[in-house]
């Protein structure tokens, strides 16, 4: 709103249910208004001399150390007349993906579909909960942009990539900025909207995020637990995605499926089972193919055993599939006897379910506790590719360097 003097009125439409609850009668759809109160809208404060900000925020009124109140004054909201949107926080924290990726819910209140160009992902302003001062802003979200379209009367959840506690307001130490100091923080999720204001300048879409605590090691927690571990992997998972070695085989295996669904896709028509074990000390996994009948059989399998990675639920049970690990390799034909056949596998954890910025699946799983289950591709005489899966999960831990060990 332009600066100036206004009178504010609170309007309330009383419906029949509320009227009954308040013992009022004859108030069907009656509009009640408060007394008009004077209201002053001031111009946003200009940036104080000598203040600092990340380079990508030059030209805005945002600055490091500003108060929470001044932050909102300095973030002009989207006023494009062709876009009627109402941002609100995404707050369903019962879903681990919401816990690990705060965001803004864009609601289109207008009669037509609405589109808006924003950063590829929103970012976070970190506010010290005790001083109510902005400690840092997120990275440059406009380095890559995209256009979001929200249908009339619909909503869209626009999420961050996760918590980034990097202190972009601090002077980089040897080229790397430190994390924000340990403590309790209030979060504001935001994105700039290029040419989104009425005068063609930068506008903002923003909403509140959860309160979080940054620990001395730079990790982030909430009252509901650590958000830097397996929940982050689930949040980044592209549900329904199949890596190239599974796509087109009709396996029914896909990212985001539950552990029980994964085990249920095992091919039941072959007298074979697979069971896994972690080799002590070398970070490798063995998958043993065993016959359930007969003395020997010629089989065509993938060269190695595949490893499916699952999140850990609060009850310490396998949750949802967040990676198929590395490609188990080409086929080979060999003989399986009663003694079994051991296939090798690696506990390296490339995240085949989460795309990187280029759309490729080359990231590694975040540190945390996981469950793994094995799978093997079989090739039948008719050229089919059924899959053999292991229903016995093994617990592993991935550390900050990406190394995995049995737990």
């Amino acid at each position: 709103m332009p600066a100036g003097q206004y009178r504010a009125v609170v309007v309330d439409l009383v419906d029949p249910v509320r009227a009954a609850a308040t013992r009022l009668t004859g108030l069907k759809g009656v509009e009640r208004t408060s007394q008009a109160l004077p209201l002053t809208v001031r111009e946003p404060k200009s940036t104080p001399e000598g203040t600092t900000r990340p380079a990508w925020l030059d030209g805005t009124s945002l600055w490091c150390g500003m108060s929470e109140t001044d932050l909102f004054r300095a973030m002009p909201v989207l006023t494009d007349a062709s876009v009627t949107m109402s941002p609100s926080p995404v707050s369903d924290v019962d879903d681990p993906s919401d816990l690990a990726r705060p965001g803004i819910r864009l609601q289109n209140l207008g009669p037509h579909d609405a589109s808006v160009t924003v950063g590829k992902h929103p970012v976070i302003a970190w506010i010290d909960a005790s001083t109510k001062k902005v400690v840092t802003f997120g990275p440059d979200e406009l380095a890559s942009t995209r256009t979001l379209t929200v249908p009339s009367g619909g909503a869209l959840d626009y999420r961050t990539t996760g918590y980034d506690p990097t202190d972009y307001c601090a002077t980089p130490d040897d080229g790397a900025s430190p994390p924000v100091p340990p403590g309790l923080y209030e979060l504001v999720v935001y994105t700039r909207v290029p040419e989104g204001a009425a005068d063609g300048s930068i506008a903002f879409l923003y909403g509140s995020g959860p309160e979080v605590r940054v620990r001395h090691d730079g990790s982030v927690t909430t009252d509901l637990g650590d958000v830097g571990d397996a929940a982050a992997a689930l949040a980044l998972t592209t549900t329904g995605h199949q890596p190239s070695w599974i796509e087109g085989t009709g396996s029914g295996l896909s990212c985001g499926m539950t552990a029980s669904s994964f085990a249920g896709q095992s091919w039941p028509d072959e007298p074979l089972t697979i069971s896994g074990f972690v080799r002590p000390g070398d970070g490798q996994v063995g998958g043993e193919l065993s016959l359930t009948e007969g003395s020997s059989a010629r089989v065509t399998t993938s060269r190695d055993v595949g490893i499916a990675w699952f999140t850990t639920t609060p009850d310490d049970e396998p949750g949802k599939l967040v990676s198929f690990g590395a490609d188990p390799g080409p086929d080979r034909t060999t003989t399986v006897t009663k003694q079994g056949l051991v296939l090798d596998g690696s506990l390296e954890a490339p995240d085949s379910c989460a795309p990187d910025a280029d759309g490729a699946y080359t990231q590694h799983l975040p540190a945390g506790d996981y469950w793994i289950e094995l799978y093997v591709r079989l090739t039948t005489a008719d050229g089919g590719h059924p899959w053999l899966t292991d229903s016995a999960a093994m617990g592993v831990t991935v550390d900050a360097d990406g190394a995995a060990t049995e737990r």
Side-chain angles (χ1 to χ4, degrees), residues 100-102 121-122 159-164 232 235-236:
R101 293 179 70 191
H121 297 284
R159 297 180 183 275
T160 69
T161 58
Y163 297 90
D164 179 4
L236 297 175

Side-chain angles (χ1 to χ4, degrees), residues 50-214:
T51 57
T52 60
R53 65 170 63 83
W56 52 89
L57 293 178
D58 284 347
T60 71
S61 296
L62 304 184
W63 49 279
C64 301
M66 67 192 310
S67 71
E68 182 179 22
T69 301
D70 285 343
L71 171 68
F72 292 116
R73 286 177 178 166
M75 298 173 80
V77 297
L78 181 69
T79 57
D80 186 335
S82 66
V83 179
T84 307
M85 289 195 189
S86 172
S88 60
V90 177
S91 57
D92 184 8
V93 293
D94 291 333
D95 184 336
S97 65
D98 287 340
L99 178 65
R101 293 179 70 191
I104 308 168
R105 178 164 294 144
L106 302 180
Q107 297 174 301
N108 181 4
L109 308 178
H112 307 290
D113 293 354
S115 296
V116 59
T117 298
V118 292
K120 188 172 183 180
H121 297 284
V123 291
I124 296 172
W126 296 70
I127 301 170
D128 187 298
S130 59
T131 65
K132 302 298 183 181
K133 301 285 188 181
V134 175
V135 174
T136 192
F137 300 94
D140 183 4
E141 85 283 16
L142 294 186
S144 177
T145 61
R146 61 172 168 167
T147 299
L148 301 177
T149 299
V150 186
S152 173
L156 182 148
D157 285 352
Y158 171 51
R159 297 180 183 275
T160 69
T161 58
Y163 297 90
D164 179 4
T166 303
D167 189 351
Y168 294 103
C169 285
T171 302
D173 182 13
D174 297 328
S177 296
V180 297
L184 195 63
Y185 291 87
E186 298 171 2
L187 307 183
V188 174
V189 181
Y190 73 92
T191 182
R192 290 168 290 165
V193 185
E195 301 180 355
D199 60 359
S201 62
I202 290 286
F204 288 80
L205 286 170
Y206 57 87
S208 61
E211 188 175 74
V212 300
R213 182 174 296 280
V214 176

Side-chain angles (χ1 to χ4, degrees), residues 36-62:
L37 301 174
L39 177 69
T40 300
V41 177
R42 298 184 177 89
E43 292 284 354
K45 290 185 178 180
S46 59
T47 306
E49 292 290 333
T51 57
T52 60
R53 65 170 63 83
W56 52 89
L57 293 178
D58 284 347
T60 71
S61 296
L62 304 184

Side-chain angles (χ1 to χ4, degrees), residues 253 257-267 310 373 389-392:
L253 303 175
M257 70 189 311
T258 64
S260 58
S261 296
F262 173 83
Q265 296 296 327
S266 187
W267 194 46
F310 296 85
E373 297 185 16
T389 59
D390 179 18
S391 60

